[in-house]
Amino acid sequence: MSEPLLKIQNLQVSATRSSAKLPVVDGASLSIERGERVALVGESGSGKSVTCFSAMGLLPESLQVTDGSIRYQGSELTALGAEKLRRLRGPEIAMIYQEPLTSLNPLLTIGAQLKEAAGRAKAGRREILEMLDRVGFADPPRILRQRPHELSGGMRQRVMIAMALVGRPKLLLADEPTTALDVTIQSQVLKLMYDLSYDLDTAVLIVSHDLSVVRKLADTVHVMYAGQVVESGPVKEVLATPRHPYTQALLDSAPHMGDTRDRLESIPGIVPTPDQWDQGCRFRSRCPLATEQCEQRPPKVEEDDRASMCWHIDRLVARQQEAAV
């Protein structure tokens, strides 16, 4: 069996505080096959974006990988120097950032910025125009002459997608790519990313806190909480029958079509900060199923291609069955 395109194993990313190392991502693991679409979902502060930036080798100076492995096509990325990582970005691994207006240079035309991105991937003007056409621009030459402030939010995000994909990378990392967009434009951008991923056989790792985004785009989902991946599995199965109380809580707090509730559910409390982590289940202070057993380190229970860090899967399933009656 061939190795996954990207394999993150037992990743630990730490910040330095008073000469001590404080983990902000703690033992996270996930893998992405060629052409696969994978989602990393959870509340703000869960460690999703840090995991994503670790794979790009773009962590800020205040953070560093202190344990674990990040392998791309069999090569260990954490062992590569800055120059080799730079060569990978664009032709092999590309990224779409959360807010396109702050990611694009306001002083340069779209054409100048696309030319720079295309140059790293050895693509030319023809490839740039073709990609602008593929992302839905009716008049690509005119777009090349414009500057970011002359475009709408949805148009800027489509430019970012074109910049990321013009070199036909094998892996696309997308950090909350639709957060700044309205619902209609969000749907268009998600469909575009899905179609281009399928057409170009590009694997996608999308970071999101929005389960509706995950449902539309991803094949596999990893749910993160307080620096750990607490549940993993196929999107349809995880969202239909979650095996971790945190995943269930996220689903309960999200609106959906046909919802007759007067008010949405909320998750009590907040995500604990890294200096509050201990050896027990980090969700236990917010979990309706928590017991004394949860003060210990929760196990990683494997169920075929499903995984959940919870002692009380059976109780959660029983609750789901009661609610369905």
Side-chain angles (χ1 to χ4, degrees):
M1 186 174 178
S2 62
E3 187 166 352
L5 181 67
L6 179 73
K7 185 174 183 179
I8 298 175
Q9 195 164 21
N10 298 320
L11 177 68
Q12 184 178 82
V13 180
S14 301
T16 301
R17 178 180 291 184
S18 301
S19 73
K21 299 294 184 183
L22 184 68
V24 295
V25 171
D26 188 18
S29 297
L30 61 89
S31 64
I32 305 173
E33 302 291 342
R34 287 166 175 78
E36 186 183 16
R37 288 161 290 275
V38 174
L40 197 55
V41 65
E43 294 168 279
S44 296
S46 294
K48 310 182 304 298
S49 294
V50 172
T51 301
C52 196
F53 278 84
S54 298
M56 281 292 287
L58 291 176
L59 288 173
E61 291 184 2
S62 58
L63 297 175
Q64 57 181 306
V65 175
T66 48
D67 201 1
S69 172
I70 306 174
R71 296 182 68 83
Y72 174 74
Q73 294 194 128
S75 297
E76 180 59 52
L77 295 185
T78 60
L80 295 182
E83 179 59 27
K84 289 184 178 179
L85 279 172
R86 189 188 66 79
R87 287 183 205 149
L88 281 178
R89 298 185 199 117
E92 294 285 334
I93 308 174
M95 189 163 184
I96 301 172
Y97 299 91
Q98 182 170 340
E99 177 46 76
L101 188 58
T102 58
S103 301
L104 293 168
N105 190 326
L107 301 179
L108 298 179
T109 63
I110 299 300
Q113 296 180 69
L114 274 165
K115 183 178 179 181
E116 180 181 357
R120 291 197 300 271
K122 295 182 172 57
R125 179 179 172 84
R126 179 175 62 83
E127 287 82 5
I128 290 173
L129 293 173
E130 285 178 356
M131 186 54 67
L132 286 175
D133 179 69
R134 293 194 72 166
V135 300
F137 287 111
D139 188 358
R142 181 175 66 85
I143 295 298
L144 292 179
R145 297 191 296 270
Q146 293 185 294
R147 286 178 167 78
H149 72 273
E150 299 178 274
L151 306 178
S152 68
M155 294 171 76
R156 288 193 291 265
Q157 195 59 290
R158 281 187 280 156
V159 167
M160 292 296 294
I161 294 172
M163 289 177 67
L165 293 178
V166 68
R168 295 176 176 259
K170 295 182 178 69
L171 176 63
L172 175 65
L173 308 180
D175 184 23
E176 301 274 10
T178 61
T179 296
L181 307 178
D182 64 51
V183 176
T184 302
I185 301 301
Q186 180 186 96
S187 295
Q188 293 174 2
V189 169
L190 288 174
K191 184 179 186 305
L192 173 63
M193 287 179 62
Y194 184 93
D195 291 344
L196 287 171
S197 167
Y198 184 83
D199 293 344
L200 302 176
D201 196 31
T202 297
V204 177
L205 175 61
I206 183 168
V207 170
S208 182
H209 64 275
D210 189 337
L211 291 176
S212 65
V213 168
V214 172
R215 199 185 303 271
K216 291 175 183 175
L217 183 64
D219 308 306
T220 303
V221 60
H222 300 274
V223 181
M224 281 198 81
Y225 185 79
Q228 297 176 323
V229 175
V230 297
E231 181 169 7
S232 301
V235 165
K236 291 182 179 179
E237 295 180 23
V238 170
L239 299 189
T241 55
R243 292 293 181 264
H244 194 284
Y246 179 58
T247 312
Q248 183 68 65
L250 289 176
L251 288 165
D252 289 343
S253 63
H256 54 80
M257 293 294 291
D259 204 332
T260 58
R261 294 174 291 177
D262 293 330
R263 296 184 62 181
L264 296 175
E265 300 288 337
S266 62
I267 308 175
I270 59 174
V271 180
T273 56
D275 57 357
Q276 296 172 323
W277 296 350
D278 58 28
Q279 293 303 305
C281 173
R282 294 171 187 172
F283 187 60
R284 69 181 186 274
S285 65
R286 310 173 74 189
C287 179
L289 302 179
T291 64
E292 290 184 8
Q293 188 179 29
C294 303
E295 295 180 8
Q296 305 172 37
R297 182 173 178 81
K300 188 164 188 176
V301 180
E302 301 290 346
E303 296 181 349
D304 299 325
D305 57 349
R306 299 283 300 272
S308 173
M309 293 180 69
C310 182
W311 287 106
H312 302 302
I313 295 174
D314 291 343
R315 291 175 59 199
L316 179 60
V317 171
R319 283 195 171 199
Q320 293 167 355
Q321 292 171 343
E322 289 174 6
V325 174

PDB file of all heavy atoms in Angstrom, residues 228-259:
ATOM      1  N   GLN A 228      -6.089  18.384  20.333  1.00  0.00           N
ATOM      2  CA  GLN A 228      -6.121  16.962  20.015  1.00  0.00           C
ATOM      3  C   GLN A 228      -7.182  16.672  18.959  1.00  0.00           C
ATOM      4  O   GLN A 228      -8.205  17.354  18.885  1.00  0.00           O
ATOM      5  CB  GLN A 228      -6.454  16.144  21.269  1.00  0.00           C
ATOM      6  CG  GLN A 228      -5.435  16.241  22.370  1.00  0.00           C
ATOM      7  CD  GLN A 228      -5.873  15.495  23.619  1.00  0.00           C
ATOM      8  OE1 GLN A 228      -7.052  15.494  23.972  1.00  0.00           O
ATOM      9  NE2 GLN A 228      -4.935  14.847  24.292  1.00  0.00           N
ATOM     10  N   VAL A 229      -6.946  15.651  18.133  1.00  0.00           N
ATOM     11  CA  VAL A 229      -7.979  15.141  17.235  1.00  0.00           C
ATOM     12  C   VAL A 229      -8.808  14.157  18.059  1.00  0.00           C
ATOM     13  O   VAL A 229      -8.324  13.089  18.438  1.00  0.00           O
ATOM     14  CB  VAL A 229      -7.367  14.444  16.008  1.00  0.00           C
ATOM     15  CG1 VAL A 229      -8.466  13.821  15.149  1.00  0.00           C
ATOM     16  CG2 VAL A 229      -6.562  15.441  15.179  1.00  0.00           C
ATOM     17  N   VAL A 230     -10.073  14.528  18.357  1.00  0.00           N
ATOM     18  CA  VAL A 230     -10.894  13.715  19.257  1.00  0.00           C
ATOM     19  C   VAL A 230     -11.812  12.749  18.516  1.00  0.00           C
ATOM     20  O   VAL A 230     -12.315  11.795  19.097  1.00  0.00           O
ATOM     21  CB  VAL A 230     -11.730  14.599  20.206  1.00  0.00           C
ATOM     22  CG1 VAL A 230     -10.821  15.413  21.114  1.00  0.00           C
ATOM     23  CG2 VAL A 230     -12.681  15.514  19.431  1.00  0.00           C
ATOM     24  N   GLU A 231     -12.052  12.993  17.218  1.00  0.00           N
ATOM     25  CA  GLU A 231     -12.849  12.061  16.425  1.00  0.00           C
ATOM     26  C   GLU A 231     -12.464  12.179  14.960  1.00  0.00           C
ATOM     27  O   GLU A 231     -12.192  13.276  14.462  1.00  0.00           O
ATOM     28  CB  GLU A 231     -14.343  12.308  16.588  1.00  0.00           C
ATOM     29  CG  GLU A 231     -15.197  11.325  15.789  1.00  0.00           C
ATOM     30  CD  GLU A 231     -16.679  11.332  16.102  1.00  0.00           C
ATOM     31  OE1 GLU A 231     -17.131  12.212  16.866  1.00  0.00           O
ATOM     32  OE2 GLU A 231     -17.398  10.459  15.566  1.00  0.00           O
ATOM     33  N   SER A 232     -12.454  11.042  14.272  1.00  0.00           N
ATOM     34  CA  SER A 232     -12.124  11.003  12.848  1.00  0.00           C
ATOM     35  C   SER A 232     -12.995   9.973  12.151  1.00  0.00           C
ATOM     36  O   SER A 232     -13.418   8.988  12.758  1.00  0.00           O
ATOM     37  CB  SER A 232     -10.651  10.616  12.636  1.00  0.00           C
ATOM     38  OG  SER A 232      -9.783  11.521  13.256  1.00  0.00           O
ATOM     39  N   GLY A 233     -13.247  10.217  10.851  1.00  0.00           N
ATOM     40  CA  GLY A 233     -13.983   9.241  10.070  1.00  0.00           C
ATOM     41  C   GLY A 233     -14.565   9.853   8.815  1.00  0.00           C
ATOM     42  O   GLY A 233     -14.402  11.047   8.554  1.00  0.00           O
ATOM     43  N   PRO A 234     -15.266   9.039   8.013  1.00  0.00           N
ATOM     44  CA  PRO A 234     -15.944   9.564   6.828  1.00  0.00           C
ATOM     45  C   PRO A 234     -16.969  10.620   7.215  1.00  0.00           C
ATOM     46  O   PRO A 234     -17.678  10.461   8.220  1.00  0.00           O
ATOM     47  CB  PRO A 234     -16.619   8.317   6.229  1.00  0.00           C
ATOM     48  CG  PRO A 234     -15.850   7.161   6.779  1.00  0.00           C
ATOM     49  CD  PRO A 234     -15.414   7.575   8.144  1.00  0.00           C
ATOM     50  N   VAL A 235     -17.049  11.686   6.442  1.00  0.00           N
ATOM     51  CA  VAL A 235     -17.924  12.808   6.783  1.00  0.00           C
ATOM     52  C   VAL A 235     -19.369  12.367   7.010  1.00  0.00           C
ATOM     53  O   VAL A 235     -19.993  12.737   8.017  1.00  0.00           O
ATOM     54  CB  VAL A 235     -17.860  13.887   5.681  1.00  0.00           C
ATOM     55  CG1 VAL A 235     -19.022  14.865   5.815  1.00  0.00           C
ATOM     56  CG2 VAL A 235     -16.555  14.650   5.771  1.00  0.00           C
ATOM     57  N   LYS A 236     -19.924  11.588   6.101  1.00  0.00           N
ATOM     58  CA  LYS A 236     -21.332  11.204   6.211  1.00  0.00           C
ATOM     59  C   LYS A 236     -21.599  10.437   7.491  1.00  0.00           C
ATOM     60  O   LYS A 236     -22.639  10.631   8.141  1.00  0.00           O
ATOM     61  CB  LYS A 236     -21.748  10.383   4.989  1.00  0.00           C
ATOM     62  CG  LYS A 236     -21.801  11.189   3.702  1.00  0.00           C
ATOM     63  CD  LYS A 236     -22.280  10.329   2.531  1.00  0.00           C
ATOM     64  CE  LYS A 236     -22.346  11.152   1.251  1.00  0.00           C
ATOM     65  NZ  LYS A 236     -22.785  10.329   0.087  1.00  0.00           N
ATOM     66  N   GLU A 237     -20.664   9.572   7.886  1.00  0.00           N
ATOM     67  CA  GLU A 237     -20.860   8.766   9.092  1.00  0.00           C
ATOM     68  C   GLU A 237     -20.683   9.603  10.357  1.00  0.00           C
ATOM     69  O   GLU A 237     -21.472   9.509  11.298  1.00  0.00           O
ATOM     70  CB  GLU A 237     -19.900   7.585   9.100  1.00  0.00           C
ATOM     71  CG  GLU A 237     -20.155   6.576   7.980  1.00  0.00           C
ATOM     72  CD  GLU A 237     -19.180   5.417   8.023  1.00  0.00           C
ATOM     73  OE1 GLU A 237     -18.619   5.161   9.109  1.00  0.00           O
ATOM     74  OE2 GLU A 237     -18.977   4.781   6.976  1.00  0.00           O
ATOM     75  N   VAL A 238     -19.642  10.425  10.390  1.00  0.00           N
ATOM     76  CA  VAL A 238     -19.371  11.233  11.585  1.00  0.00           C
ATOM     77  C   VAL A 238     -20.500  12.222  11.840  1.00  0.00           C
ATOM     78  O   VAL A 238     -20.944  12.401  12.984  1.00  0.00           O
ATOM     79  CB  VAL A 238     -18.026  11.965  11.451  1.00  0.00           C
ATOM     80  CG1 VAL A 238     -17.851  12.986  12.578  1.00  0.00           C
ATOM     81  CG2 VAL A 238     -16.870  10.971  11.473  1.00  0.00           C
ATOM     82  N   LEU A 239     -21.001  12.874  10.791  1.00  0.00           N
ATOM     83  CA  LEU A 239     -22.047  13.867  10.981  1.00  0.00           C
ATOM     84  C   LEU A 239     -23.420  13.233  11.212  1.00  0.00           C
ATOM     85  O   LEU A 239     -24.308  13.862  11.782  1.00  0.00           O
ATOM     86  CB  LEU A 239     -22.101  14.816   9.781  1.00  0.00           C
ATOM     87  CG  LEU A 239     -20.833  15.629   9.517  1.00  0.00           C
ATOM     88  CD1 LEU A 239     -21.083  16.691   8.458  1.00  0.00           C
ATOM     89  CD2 LEU A 239     -20.303  16.284  10.798  1.00  0.00           C
ATOM     90  N   ALA A 240     -23.589  11.984  10.788  1.00  0.00           N
ATOM     91  CA  ALA A 240     -24.865  11.294  11.022  1.00  0.00           C
ATOM     92  C   ALA A 240     -24.894  10.635  12.390  1.00  0.00           C
ATOM     93  O   ALA A 240     -25.914  10.683  13.102  1.00  0.00           O
ATOM     94  CB  ALA A 240     -25.108  10.250   9.935  1.00  0.00           C
ATOM     95  N   THR A 241     -23.780  10.016  12.796  1.00  0.00           N
ATOM     96  CA  THR A 241     -23.722   9.292  14.073  1.00  0.00           C
ATOM     97  C   THR A 241     -22.392   9.592  14.757  1.00  0.00           C
ATOM     98  O   THR A 241     -21.487   8.748  14.756  1.00  0.00           O
ATOM     99  CB  THR A 241     -23.868   7.769  13.861  1.00  0.00           C
ATOM    100  OG1 THR A 241     -22.867   7.327  12.926  1.00  0.00           O
ATOM    101  CG2 THR A 241     -25.245   7.430  13.329  1.00  0.00           C
ATOM    102  N   PRO A 242     -22.236  10.789  15.332  1.00  0.00           N
ATOM    103  CA  PRO A 242     -20.968  11.134  15.989  1.00  0.00           C
ATOM    104  C   PRO A 242     -20.659  10.179  17.130  1.00  0.00           C
ATOM    105  O   PRO A 242     -21.561   9.662  17.791  1.00  0.00           O
ATOM    106  CB  PRO A 242     -21.208  12.563  16.492  1.00  0.00           C
ATOM    107  CG  PRO A 242     -22.680  12.721  16.538  1.00  0.00           C
ATOM    108  CD  PRO A 242     -23.227  11.875  15.435  1.00  0.00           C
ATOM    109  N   ARG A 243     -19.360   9.968  17.360  1.00  0.00           N
ATOM    110  CA  ARG A 243     -18.916   9.061  18.407  1.00  0.00           C
ATOM    111  C   ARG A 243     -18.144   9.795  19.502  1.00  0.00           C
ATOM    112  O   ARG A 243     -17.483   9.161  20.322  1.00  0.00           O
ATOM    113  CB  ARG A 243     -18.049   7.944  17.799  1.00  0.00           C
ATOM    114  CG  ARG A 243     -18.824   6.991  16.903  1.00  0.00           C
ATOM    115  CD  ARG A 243     -19.821   6.173  17.708  1.00  0.00           C
ATOM    116  NE  ARG A 243     -20.575   5.236  16.895  1.00  0.00           N
ATOM    117  CZ  ARG A 243     -21.792   5.488  16.408  1.00  0.00           C
ATOM    118  NH1 ARG A 243     -22.370   6.662  16.656  1.00  0.00           N
ATOM    119  NH2 ARG A 243     -22.419   4.589  15.690  1.00  0.00           N
ATOM    120  N   HIS A 244     -18.213  11.122  19.493  1.00  0.00           N
ATOM    121  CA  HIS A 244     -17.623  11.907  20.578  1.00  0.00           C
ATOM    122  C   HIS A 244     -18.625  12.992  20.983  1.00  0.00           C
ATOM    123  O   HIS A 244     -19.244  13.620  20.117  1.00  0.00           O
ATOM    124  CB  HIS A 244     -16.305  12.551  20.146  1.00  0.00           C
ATOM    125  CG  HIS A 244     -15.495  13.072  21.282  1.00  0.00           C
ATOM    126  ND1 HIS A 244     -15.802  14.248  21.939  1.00  0.00           N
ATOM    127  CD2 HIS A 244     -14.401  12.566  21.926  1.00  0.00           C
ATOM    128  CE1 HIS A 244     -14.920  14.455  22.904  1.00  0.00           C
ATOM    129  NE2 HIS A 244     -14.065  13.453  22.923  1.00  0.00           N
ATOM    130  N   PRO A 245     -18.812  13.214  22.286  1.00  0.00           N
ATOM    131  CA  PRO A 245     -19.781  14.226  22.735  1.00  0.00           C
ATOM    132  C   PRO A 245     -19.511  15.626  22.186  1.00  0.00           C
ATOM    133  O   PRO A 245     -20.444  16.406  22.007  1.00  0.00           O
ATOM    134  CB  PRO A 245     -19.638  14.193  24.261  1.00  0.00           C
ATOM    135  CG  PRO A 245     -19.132  12.830  24.568  1.00  0.00           C
ATOM    136  CD  PRO A 245     -18.231  12.464  23.417  1.00  0.00           C
ATOM    137  N   TYR A 246     -18.236  15.946  21.915  1.00  0.00           N
ATOM    138  CA  TYR A 246     -17.939  17.265  21.352  1.00  0.00           C
ATOM    139  C   TYR A 246     -18.491  17.399  19.938  1.00  0.00           C
ATOM    140  O   TYR A 246     -19.086  18.419  19.588  1.00  0.00           O
ATOM    141  CB  TYR A 246     -16.431  17.514  21.359  1.00  0.00           C
ATOM    142  CG  TYR A 246     -16.041  18.851  20.773  1.00  0.00           C
ATOM    143  CD1 TYR A 246     -16.551  20.029  21.308  1.00  0.00           C
ATOM    144  CD2 TYR A 246     -15.178  18.942  19.692  1.00  0.00           C
ATOM    145  CE1 TYR A 246     -16.208  21.274  20.782  1.00  0.00           C
ATOM    146  CE2 TYR A 246     -14.815  20.166  19.162  1.00  0.00           C
ATOM    147  CZ  TYR A 246     -15.339  21.325  19.711  1.00  0.00           C
ATOM    148  OH  TYR A 246     -15.007  22.549  19.177  1.00  0.00           O
ATOM    149  N   THR A 247     -18.317  16.363  19.126  1.00  0.00           N
ATOM    150  CA  THR A 247     -18.885  16.385  17.773  1.00  0.00           C
ATOM    151  C   THR A 247     -20.401  16.511  17.847  1.00  0.00           C
ATOM    152  O   THR A 247     -21.010  17.286  17.089  1.00  0.00           O
ATOM    153  CB  THR A 247     -18.507  15.109  17.004  1.00  0.00           C
ATOM    154  OG1 THR A 247     -17.107  14.864  17.133  1.00  0.00           O
ATOM    155  CG2 THR A 247     -18.860  15.235  15.532  1.00  0.00           C
ATOM    156  N   GLN A 248     -21.024  15.774  18.748  1.00  0.00           N
ATOM    157  CA  GLN A 248     -22.465  15.862  18.921  1.00  0.00           C
ATOM    158  C   GLN A 248     -22.879  17.276  19.328  1.00  0.00           C
ATOM    159  O   GLN A 248     -23.871  17.819  18.827  1.00  0.00           O
ATOM    160  CB  GLN A 248     -22.932  14.859  19.983  1.00  0.00           C
ATOM    161  CG  GLN A 248     -24.445  14.824  20.193  1.00  0.00           C
ATOM    162  CD  GLN A 248     -25.177  14.261  18.990  1.00  0.00           C
ATOM    163  OE1 GLN A 248     -25.011  13.090  18.662  1.00  0.00           O
ATOM    164  NE2 GLN A 248     -25.987  15.086  18.318  1.00  0.00           N
ATOM    165  N   ALA A 249     -22.116  17.893  20.223  1.00  0.00           N
ATOM    166  CA  ALA A 249     -22.422  19.254  20.665  1.00  0.00           C
ATOM    167  C   ALA A 249     -22.297  20.253  19.516  1.00  0.00           C
ATOM    168  O   ALA A 249     -23.115  21.188  19.399  1.00  0.00           O
ATOM    169  CB  ALA A 249     -21.497  19.644  21.824  1.00  0.00           C
ATOM    170  N   LEU A 250     -21.298  20.091  18.664  1.00  0.00           N
ATOM    171  CA  LEU A 250     -21.156  20.973  17.504  1.00  0.00           C
ATOM    172  C   LEU A 250     -22.362  20.845  16.584  1.00  0.00           C
ATOM    173  O   LEU A 250     -22.892  21.845  16.076  1.00  0.00           O
ATOM    174  CB  LEU A 250     -19.876  20.630  16.728  1.00  0.00           C
ATOM    175  CG  LEU A 250     -18.538  20.999  17.371  1.00  0.00           C
ATOM    176  CD1 LEU A 250     -17.391  20.491  16.515  1.00  0.00           C
ATOM    177  CD2 LEU A 250     -18.420  22.507  17.571  1.00  0.00           C
ATOM    178  N   LEU A 251     -22.812  19.613  16.358  1.00  0.00           N
ATOM    179  CA  LEU A 251     -23.972  19.387  15.499  1.00  0.00           C
ATOM    180  C   LEU A 251     -25.237  19.984  16.115  1.00  0.00           C
ATOM    181  O   LEU A 251     -26.057  20.598  15.421  1.00  0.00           O
ATOM    182  CB  LEU A 251     -24.158  17.886  15.263  1.00  0.00           C
ATOM    183  CG  LEU A 251     -23.134  17.233  14.339  1.00  0.00           C
ATOM    184  CD1 LEU A 251     -23.190  15.712  14.471  1.00  0.00           C
ATOM    185  CD2 LEU A 251     -23.384  17.634  12.892  1.00  0.00           C
ATOM    186  N   ASP A 252     -25.399  19.813  17.421  1.00  0.00           N
ATOM    187  CA  ASP A 252     -26.594  20.323  18.093  1.00  0.00           C
ATOM    188  C   ASP A 252     -26.657  21.850  18.075  1.00  0.00           C
ATOM    189  O   ASP A 252     -27.743  22.433  18.122  1.00  0.00           O
ATOM    190  CB  ASP A 252     -26.628  19.834  19.547  1.00  0.00           C
ATOM    191  CG  ASP A 252     -26.909  18.345  19.659  1.00  0.00           C
ATOM    192  OD1 ASP A 252     -27.382  17.760  18.663  1.00  0.00           O
ATOM    193  OD2 ASP A 252     -26.636  17.776  20.728  1.00  0.00           O
ATOM    194  N   SER A 253     -25.500  22.495  18.024  1.00  0.00           N
ATOM    195  CA  SER A 253     -25.461  23.960  18.072  1.00  0.00           C
ATOM    196  C   SER A 253     -25.507  24.597  16.685  1.00  0.00           C
ATOM    197  O   SER A 253     -25.478  25.824  16.565  1.00  0.00           O
ATOM    198  CB  SER A 253     -24.197  24.425  18.806  1.00  0.00           C
ATOM    199  OG  SER A 253     -23.032  24.018  18.115  1.00  0.00           O
ATOM    200  N   ALA A 254     -25.583  23.777  15.637  1.00  0.00           N
ATOM    201  CA  ALA A 254     -25.590  24.294  14.258  1.00  0.00           C
ATOM    202  C   ALA A 254     -27.011  24.296  13.699  1.00  0.00           C
ATOM    203  O   ALA A 254     -27.763  23.344  13.915  1.00  0.00           O
ATOM    204  CB  ALA A 254     -24.689  23.450  13.366  1.00  0.00           C
ATOM    205  N   PRO A 255     -27.406  25.361  12.985  1.00  0.00           N
ATOM    206  CA  PRO A 255     -28.729  25.371  12.346  1.00  0.00           C
ATOM    207  C   PRO A 255     -28.765  24.432  11.150  1.00  0.00           C
ATOM    208  O   PRO A 255     -27.730  24.143  10.550  1.00  0.00           O
ATOM    209  CB  PRO A 255     -28.878  26.830  11.889  1.00  0.00           C
ATOM    210  CG  PRO A 255     -27.475  27.304  11.687  1.00  0.00           C
ATOM    211  CD  PRO A 255     -26.651  26.588  12.723  1.00  0.00           C
ATOM    212  N   HIS A 256     -29.933  23.928  10.812  1.00  0.00           N
ATOM    213  CA  HIS A 256     -30.068  23.086   9.636  1.00  0.00           C
ATOM    214  C   HIS A 256     -31.464  23.242   9.038  1.00  0.00           C
ATOM    215  O   HIS A 256     -32.384  23.746   9.687  1.00  0.00           O
ATOM    216  CB  HIS A 256     -29.789  21.612   9.972  1.00  0.00           C
ATOM    217  CG  HIS A 256     -30.621  21.073  11.101  1.00  0.00           C
ATOM    218  ND1 HIS A 256     -31.923  20.671  10.948  1.00  0.00           N
ATOM    219  CD2 HIS A 256     -30.325  20.888  12.414  1.00  0.00           C
ATOM    220  CE1 HIS A 256     -32.395  20.244  12.095  1.00  0.00           C
ATOM    221  NE2 HIS A 256     -31.458  20.368  13.007  1.00  0.00           N
ATOM    222  N   MET A 257     -31.599  22.820   7.791  1.00  0.00           N
ATOM    223  CA  MET A 257     -32.871  22.955   7.086  1.00  0.00           C
ATOM    224  C   MET A 257     -33.973  22.199   7.829  1.00  0.00           C
ATOM    225  O   MET A 257     -33.766  21.086   8.308  1.00  0.00           O
ATOM    226  CB  MET A 257     -32.745  22.403   5.663  1.00  0.00           C
ATOM    227  CG  MET A 257     -31.835  23.209   4.760  1.00  0.00           C
ATOM    228  SD  MET A 257     -32.472  24.852   4.411  1.00  0.00           S
ATOM    229  CE  MET A 257     -33.889  24.442   3.395  1.00  0.00           C
ATOM    230  N   GLY A 258     -35.146  22.837   7.935  1.00  0.00           N
ATOM    231  CA  GLY A 258     -36.272  22.196   8.592  1.00  0.00           C
ATOM    232  C   GLY A 258     -36.213  22.266  10.106  1.00  0.00           C
ATOM    233  O   GLY A 258     -37.000  21.603  10.793  1.00  0.00           O
ATOM    234  N   ASP A 259     -35.270  23.053  10.648  1.00  0.00           N
ATOM    235  CA  ASP A 259     -35.112  23.160  12.094  1.00  0.00           C
ATOM    236  C   ASP A 259     -36.344  23.826  12.709  1.00  0.00           C
ATOM    237  O   ASP A 259     -36.742  24.914  12.293  1.00  0.00           O
ATOM    238  CB  ASP A 259     -33.857  23.987  12.408  1.00  0.00           C
ATOM    239  CG  ASP A 259     -33.288  23.676  13.778  1.00  0.00           C
ATOM    240  OD1 ASP A 259     -34.060  23.274  14.660  1.00  0.00           O
ATOM    241  OD2 ASP A 259     -32.070  23.834  13.952  1.00  0.00           O
TER     242      ASP A 259
END
